[in-house]
Amino acid sequence: MVHDIDTVLDAPIGDHPDPGEFIRAAMRWHFDPRTGSPFWLARARTLDFDPLTDVKGVDDLALFPNVCDELRDVRAEDLVPRGYGDRPDICGIYESGGTTGRPKRVVLLRDWFDKSQAWLGATLDAHGVPRGANWLMMFPTGPHMGGYAYARLARDRGSHAFSIDMDPRWVKQLIAAGRTEDARAYAGHLLEQARHVLRGQDVGVLAITPPVLERLAVDEELTALVRDKVGAIVWAGAHMDAATRDLLGGEVFPGIPIVGFFGSTMMLHSCGQRGTEDPGACVFDPPAPFITFRVVDEDGKPVEYGTRGRVVVNHVSRSFLLPNNLDRDEATRVPGPPGQVGDSLADVTPVQVFDGEAVIEGVY
Amino acid sequence: MSATSHLVRLDALGPSGAYRSRNVQTVNDIHGAPYAELSLVPPLFVARTMAALRKADPLPLEQRLDAIAAAGRAFATGTVGGLSAEEYQHAVCRVSGLPWVTTEMALEFTAQYTERAYLSSQLARPAGAVNDWRDPRTRHGSGVWARRGHVFAVHAPGNTPSAHTLWLQSLALGYRVALRPSSREPFSPHRWITALRDAGFGPDQVALLPTDHATADEVVRGADLAMVYGDDEVVRKYASSATVLPQGPGRSKFLLTKDADWTSYLDTVVSSVSAHGGAACINTTTVYVEGDPAPLARALAERLAALPSLPPQDPKAVLPVKPLAEARGIERFLLAKAAGTTPWLGGDGIVDDLGDGTAVLRPAVHQVARPDAPQTRIEQRFPCVWVAPWSPEAGVAPLRDTVVLTAVTDDEALVDRLFAEPSIANVYLGDHPTYWLPPGIPHDDYLESFLMRTKACIR
């Protein structure tokens, strides 16, 4: 390990290292033949700029091409920076959900994972999510990072996780094939498993995806069990609109904190919802400068604050570099908290695809 | 319904009352100016509303019939949700571009239908069935008429406000009803549900659930039975479902065989094409003439050409009005589709620019060369008629897929075949417009055939 080089990269997220210093250190690490990953060292030869001299801050990350698609084929080992030595501490190799074609692969290294988890834990504390309470975790495991990370979060907080597995790729295939009833039946299958855990076990935190939470919220027994037992609901892995958040918080689970997380495998992290008085606002602040957001228009230019655009994500850590990744989500651009570099996001939704104008036959 | 600033506010009407969503769809008028705000509910709201409807009991029969009649009177003449009948008519015309006459007809129909909702539904009851198991006939064994479900959902059409009279019977039968309005004309559904609640239906008995397109399916899924208006695609989607009744294009037709003197029926053909602004599924789409169709096409074109171009809210307005760009789009579509036909009216276009960013959709009359010309299936939301030749050799085939067929003929064998054809829903004989539809007459079969079943009972 060569971690004594540029120790700014090892600062905890909460220390808010200086973005310029941090980015320059990261460039030195990832593009030094002794420490960079085989993937980036090879890719560097095709760049029309020099990361060591041209990338001086977060804004300059936009110089990079979006290499996301290359993560579908690259050898996982080639993504690990050489600086980690012969026996890097790899937590796992995780894959994107497969929403947009073949899955993309990333390597989760221990030092980043610990940093990310510590930050998630602090976010949960800030939202009043109880410590020492068991979790019922309904996130996918296997190739997906969520199930791995959140189960360990429960352990870090002094409790256990009851895990119910799900296969989101199969659900996506069902929906794409128009088999919505089968997709619903699958969600029902997950909820029946949750019912056994909620009836018989001490569960204080429910971690769940929005679609399954919505289904749970119309089941009388499950709703009553959650109201009785659960001290906080954590959702992640999909989107939830403001009207649904209102209903869940105001009518279905009044008084229970409902905390959203926005993340992705390519981000190697999920960002907790900003604490605010207004339940309708759902703002996500990234752990900058490790992860930074930019909200852009079709031409890649930043949109005005308060305007919607596509989300561009940069991940820059000692363990991984994925700059300038145009995400599948769109969001409203909002200013970050004082001192944060880059944008924060409100009301994240999947990119909408609009059809052209069509004259419809028939009178309805 | 209440006005905040200058916009009419159309809240969802759920089990806890009016619901103002964070997700609001702006409904523009035909000038493109915002006119109303429609609260769109998320899937969870739909699911919770459906659960509440399913839990609720229906109102007792007498009470619900009184409430339906009272709601009908209020709808047609009263102030509902802050809008007088005239203000409501104005809103419909201003947003949908439907001509004033269609709203007049809707109010008239409303009063007729709501007074007779129960009598109408009784006409559909099988002769072997009684309404209640307490009926003495069950002592010797009888059928008992019963609901097939508890909750009925309707994806309401936006083409003409008269269409809402069709689902009202479900309330008379004791269904709890969830209505999803069309964003093209959400005023009528909102006025209906508000009037029904004012008249005594509970918020857990009738509901208004505006949704975006993606959530619309939730309304259907959450109900026991549903009626969905739409195009051919919608009909295909639900064709095999036993619990969804799709209502597709009407493609109503008028047939005049050679024993009929068409000149005596011209008034009826003209009104069949153009009543309701030409926007209803019971407006004639195609006129079939045995022999040379040209004289009738010419006469029809002359008559329809005389209809005035007026803004929709003008009391004399009879033709629909659209934003200019949308009207141009419809015109391009029509002209492209009409290629190869003989135009008698509207061959150069159907758009009459009113100079204020809107345009009247003028009538169109095209003559096609063959009974099976593909144009004969093109139904539009304005008076757009295809005139086609017909012969006994062509037979019933071109007359298929029809909600109303008016046939003027002395050929009883032909009439027998028309009644035997499953895809023709209604056959009117002689001098009757295709839009004839008084209370108690089935529209596309009795809706009760879908909503009710007969159970055996002996005691």
Side-chain angles (χ1 to χ4, degrees):
Chain A
M1 297 266 269
V2 204
H3 280 197
D4 51 340
I5 301 172
D6 286 322
T7 51
V8 64
L9 296 174
D10 302 318
I13 291 170
D15 282 8
H16 304 296
D18 175 73
E21 192 192 330
F22 177 87
I23 294 294
R24 288 188 296 274
M27 292 302 116
R28 286 193 293 273
W29 169 262
H30 285 291
F31 293 99
D32 185 316
R34 292 166 299 167
T35 55
S37 68
F39 170 76
W40 272 116
L41 292 175
R43 200 65 174 75
R45 288 196 286 273
T46 66
L47 300 176
D48 55 5
F49 63 95
D50 182 354
L52 293 174
T53 53
D54 294 334
V55 178
K56 302 184 195 75
V58 168
D59 288 348
D60 300 325
L61 295 171
L63 290 169
F64 279 98
N66 182 5
V67 299
C68 210
D69 279 338
E70 298 167 34
L71 299 181
R72 301 183 201 278
D73 298 308
V74 67
R75 241 179 112 241
E77 290 89 335
D78 289 348
L79 292 172
V80 179
R82 283 178 183 155
Y84 280 85
D86 293 336
R87 294 177 58 89
D89 190 353
I90 292 175
C91 300
I93 298 166
Y94 293 105
E95 297 183 355
S96 61
T99 311
T100 48
R102 285 176 296 128
K104 294 162 282 205
R105 237 163 254 109
V106 294
V107 179
L108 179 62
L109 288 161
R110 176 69 58 194
D111 62 321
W112 168 253
F113 181 62
D114 289 346
K115 206 187 293 284
S116 163
Q117 293 286 96
W119 189 241
L120 280 182
T123 310
L124 294 175
D125 287 339
H127 280 280
V129 176
R131 287 173 169 268
N134 290 338
W135 287 43
L136 169 56
M137 195 202 64
M138 304 184 72
F139 289 145
T141 61
H144 309 282
M145 189 175 144
Y148 175 80
Y150 282 87
R152 272 150 194 80
L153 204 51
R155 195 187 296 163
D156 293 348
R157 297 172 69 76
S159 56
H160 310 290
F162 298 99
S163 177
I164 289 166
D165 204 8
M166 64 185 290
D167 182 350
R169 291 178 187 166
W170 179 240
V171 176
K172 280 170 192 158
Q173 285 204 32
L174 291 175
I175 292 170
R179 293 168 62 187
T180 46
E181 284 311 312
D182 291 335
R184 283 180 64 79
Y186 186 75
H189 165 62
L190 300 179
L191 288 173
E192 287 317 305
Q193 299 172 69
R195 195 185 305 276
H196 296 305
V197 177
L198 282 167
R199 276 179 186 161
Q201 299 297 325
D202 297 332
V203 173
V205 177
L206 174 65
I208 192 167
T209 58
V212 180
L213 178 58
E214 284 187 44
R215 283 288 303 279
L216 184 152
V218 290
D219 182 297
E220 276 191 36
E221 188 199 2
L222 290 175
T223 302
L225 283 166
V226 169
R227 280 179 178 161
D228 286 350
K229 295 189 165 188
V230 164
I233 297 170
V234 171
W235 62 265
H239 310 83
M240 196 188 295
D241 65 32
T244 303
R245 291 197 304 270
D246 266 1
L247 279 174
L248 287 171
E251 292 191 22
V252 189
F253 303 115
I256 303 177
I258 301 177
V259 190
F261 282 83
F262 166 64
S264 70
T265 311
M266 295 299 103
M267 204 188 284
L268 280 170
H269 184 71
S270 43
C271 308
Q273 194 179 329
R274 185 189 290 177
T276 158
E277 294 296 304
D278 179 5
C282 190
V283 175
F284 298 107
D285 300 315
F290 298 89
I291 293 166
T292 44
F293 296 143
R294 217 163 68 238
V295 183
V296 300
D297 63 16
E298 285 171 2
D299 302 323
K301 302 271 186 307
V303 300
E304 299 293 320
Y305 286 119
T307 308
R308 293 189 74 71
R310 284 284 286 274
V311 178
V312 175
V313 182
N314 302 305
H315 176 108
V316 182
S317 67
R318 197 186 280 286
S319 75
F320 188 51
L321 173 67
L322 186 60
N324 212 16
N325 172 24
L326 185 66
D327 198 86
R328 67 190 158 93
D329 294 301
E330 61 178 38
T332 303
R333 182 187 182 202
V334 297
Q340 177 193 293
V341 61
D343 298 331
S344 288
L345 311 176
D347 296 316
V348 180
T349 58
V351 170
Q352 306 280 329
V353 180
F354 292 106
D355 295 321
E357 178 203 9
V359 175
I360 297 163
E361 282 189 55
V363 293
Y364 305 121
Chain B
M1 186 150 34
S2 62
T4 42
S5 66
H6 59 295
L7 295 183
V8 178
R9 198 173 125 181
L10 300 170
D11 290 342
L13 301 170
S16 314
Y19 170 82
R20 167 93 168 149
S21 176
R22 286 181 182 271
N23 186 8
V24 165
Q25 179 179 8
T26 302
V27 177
N28 289 340
D29 69 11
I30 48 171
H31 300 280
Y35 192 86
E37 288 183 331
L38 186 61
S39 270
L40 301 183
V41 302
L44 180 60
F45 190 95
V46 174
R48 285 170 61 76
T49 303
M50 292 307 191
L53 293 176
R54 185 161 285 112
K55 265 190 176 174
D57 289 320
L59 285 177
L61 179 64
E62 290 303 321
Q63 233 174 301
R64 64 188 190 240
L65 297 180
D66 288 348
I68 292 167
R73 285 190 297 275
F75 187 99
T77 60
T79 294
V80 178
L83 291 192
S84 70
E86 201 176 322
E87 285 164 338
Y88 151 73
Q89 289 178 269
H90 194 84
V92 170
C93 296
R94 186 72 189 271
V95 165
S96 71
L98 284 169
W100 189 260
V101 64
T102 58
T103 63
E104 292 281 350
M105 289 172 95
L107 297 187
E108 198 181 306
F109 273 36
T110 295
Q112 288 177 24
Y113 270 83
T114 49
E115 288 299 335
R116 297 177 182 79
Y118 188 62
L119 290 177
S120 301
S121 73
Q122 286 297 296
L123 292 172
R125 180 164 51 89
V130 295
N131 281 308
D132 192 319
W133 65 268
R134 294 173 186 82
D135 190 296
R137 281 165 61 188
T138 57
R139 291 190 186 282
H140 307 285
S142 164
V144 177
W145 215 28
R147 289 186 291 275
R148 281 181 68 210
H150 303 289
V151 179
F152 181 45
V154 181
H155 274 204
N159 62 321
T160 165
S162 311
H164 294 284
T165 49
L166 291 174
W167 55 261
L168 284 167
Q169 275 109 305
S170 65
L171 287 170
L173 298 168
Y175 273 91
R176 277 117 289 160
V177 172
L179 196 56
R180 184 215 175 225
S182 159
S183 61
R184 285 193 285 133
E185 201 276 88
F187 300 99
S188 300
H190 192 280
R191 187 172 177 85
W192 266 121
I193 299 301
T194 306
L196 289 164
R197 288 184 171 194
D198 290 351
F201 281 93
D204 56 354
Q205 293 170 326
V206 291
L208 182 77
L209 297 175
T211 71
D212 62 17
H213 196 72
T215 309
D217 278 351
E218 296 289 324
V219 180
V220 171
R221 188 189 3 259
D224 299 317
L225 297 171
M227 179 159 67
V228 178
Y229 289 81
D231 56 12
D232 285 331
E233 188 54 44
V234 168
V235 174
R236 267 193 294 278
K237 178 175 172 184
Y238 293 113
S240 60
S241 168
T243 56
V244 180
L245 182 67
Q247 299 280 289
R251 300 195 173 102
S252 292
K253 299 174 179 67
F254 213 108
L255 170 67
L256 295 143
T257 60
K258 67 174 184 306
D259 44 293
D261 170 18
W262 63 264
T263 57
S264 310
Y265 301 94
L266 185 61
D267 286 351
T268 307
V269 176
V270 168
S271 69
S272 291
V273 171
S274 61
H276 296 280
C281 61
I282 48 183
N283 281 118
T284 295
T285 295
T286 306
V287 182
Y288 287 94
V289 184
E290 188 178 359
D292 181 9
L296 179 137
R298 181 189 299 115
L300 191 53
E302 272 172 23
R303 292 283 299 275
L304 291 172
L307 297 179
S309 287
L310 292 166
Q313 65 273 21
D314 188 297
K316 295 194 195 64
V318 289
L319 293 171
V321 176
K322 291 289 172 195
L324 184 58
E326 189 183 337
R328 291 280 180 217
I330 294 168
E331 182 178 67
R332 279 195 300 277
F333 174 82
L334 177 68
L335 292 179
K337 291 288 182 185
T341 67
T342 307
W344 288 96
L345 184 65
D348 302 327
I350 45 107
V351 169
D352 193 359
D353 190 345
L354 289 176
D356 59 359
T358 70
V360 174
L361 298 177
R362 301 282 316 162
V365 180
H366 289 86
Q367 184 183 335
V368 297
R370 299 164 49 88
D372 59 353
Q375 289 87 352
T376 60
R377 295 180 58 79
I378 299 174
E379 176 179 81
Q380 290 285 291
R381 296 183 194 127
F382 67 101
C384 173
V385 64
W386 311 93
V387 182
W390 183 87
S391 65
E393 294 70 41
V396 173
L399 307 175
R400 284 184 186 139
D401 294 333
T402 299
V403 71
V404 182
L405 170 67
T406 292
V408 185
T409 180
D410 293 335
D411 183 349
E412 290 196 7
L414 172 63
V415 175
D416 283 338
R417 292 212 301 283
L418 297 177
F419 274 95
E421 168 53 45
S423 71
I424 299 175
N426 305 296
V427 180
Y428 300 171
L429 299 173
D431 194 17
H432 301 286
T434 50
Y435 62 82
W436 179 81
L437 186 58
I441 295 297
H443 170 57
D444 183 9
D445 195 354
Y446 281 113
L447 181 60
E448 289 79 358
S449 309
F450 174 68
L451 293 175
M452 302 296 277
R453 58 169 296 183
T454 305
K455 297 186 181 184
C457 180
I458 177 84
R459 61 186 176 114

